[in-house]
Amino acid sequence: MTVACGLAAGQGRTGNKQTGNEPPPVPKTGVRFVVLPGPGKALPSPVYVKQGKNFYRSVRLGSRTPSVRVTPTAGVVNFLESDPMANAAGDEKGKTKELPEVKTVLSVKLQDSFEKTLCILTPTESGNPTIRLMNEADFPQKGVHIINLSTKALLMETSVKGDFSDKKVNLIKAGTKITKENSWSFNEGADGQAISFRLTTYAKEVKDRKTLRSSRFAVSAKQSQINVVVDNPRTGGVQFLSIQLTDN
């Protein structure tokens, strides 16, 4: 299957062993992947991506924690079902002569260009996952973030004091792609500081607003805490999916 995603250029670092060549370094820029649950069949994991000459990096496609970062080849990331080097034929000196054919289980064509890109994959019934691109620079470390991919507009109220006498109110619009209009970020406060919040569905009349979550979150200087809000078809409401994003 082939889908379109966002391109982030980078240099290459380690993974599995390679015959005759040193493995390239893990890139500090590039694209990494995370999976949000969807109605389709689960994506295969681990998969393998060619990085450098005759080296295939193991990539785990999972939820919450993004994969290792990779560098695209000619604007495409091809995910293979196994590592061709594992069963490569070699000559008497151990040099690789011939690589076996390995099935490509997913090809992601890259279009947009960010220095660091998070590609969010959601399995669909058609077999081609929905992809959404996130510029990691828009969701910096030491931040709590919300991305609203539901069909409901949301209202976020925060209070540093905790009693909402100092509350700040932000509208988070509904959206299918990741934009400034349907995302929200909190980058203030000291590491570990607790911030009170109240997240509701948006309605002009206060009495018509439905509280989704009301609690406190802690600011972390070590990672971005990203909460993706999506529709829950079983309840007719929304559900929250968390992604923990460290620098690398």
Side-chain angles (χ1 to χ4, degrees), residues 73-148:
T73 300
V76 177
V77 175
N78 289 314
F79 293 110
L80 307 182
E81 68 177 355
S82 62
D83 181 359
M85 295 302 298
N87 298 304
D91 60 17
E92 294 179 355
K93 296 181 180 180
K95 294 182 179 180
T96 301
K97 288 174 56 178
E98 184 178 354
L99 295 180
E101 282 193 24
V102 174
K103 180 181 177 182
T104 299
V105 293
L106 176 64
S107 291
V108 180
K109 291 184 177 180
L110 306 165
Q111 296 174 339
D112 299 330
S113 179
F114 307 125
E115 182 181 17
K116 296 181 179 180
T117 299
L118 180 68
C119 183
I120 301 175
L121 302 171
T122 304
T124 65
E125 294 175 341
S126 70
N128 291 320
T130 298
I131 60 126
R132 296 181 177 92
L133 312 178
M134 193 189 89
N135 184 354
E136 294 182 22
D138 293 337
F139 298 86
Q141 198 167 295
K142 191 191 172 183
V144 176
H145 313 278
I146 292 176
I147 299 173
N148 185 14

Side-chain angles (χ1 to χ4, degrees), residues 134-186:
M134 193 189 89
N135 184 354
E136 294 182 22
D138 293 337
F139 298 86
Q141 198 167 295
K142 191 191 172 183
V144 176
H145 313 278
I146 292 176
I147 299 173
N148 185 14
L149 298 178
S150 76
T151 55
K152 299 175 175 63
L154 307 176
L155 206 63
M156 183 63 163
E157 299 173 87
T158 56
S159 171
V160 175
K161 291 183 177 180
D163 59 3
F164 290 92
S165 62
D166 61 336
K167 72 177 179 181
K168 292 183 179 179
V169 183
N170 292 93
L171 174 66
I172 313 173
K173 295 182 179 180
T176 57
K177 296 182 179 180
I178 301 172
T179 67
K180 291 182 179 180
E181 286 70 32
N182 72 320
S183 58
W184 169 88
S185 296
F186 186 94

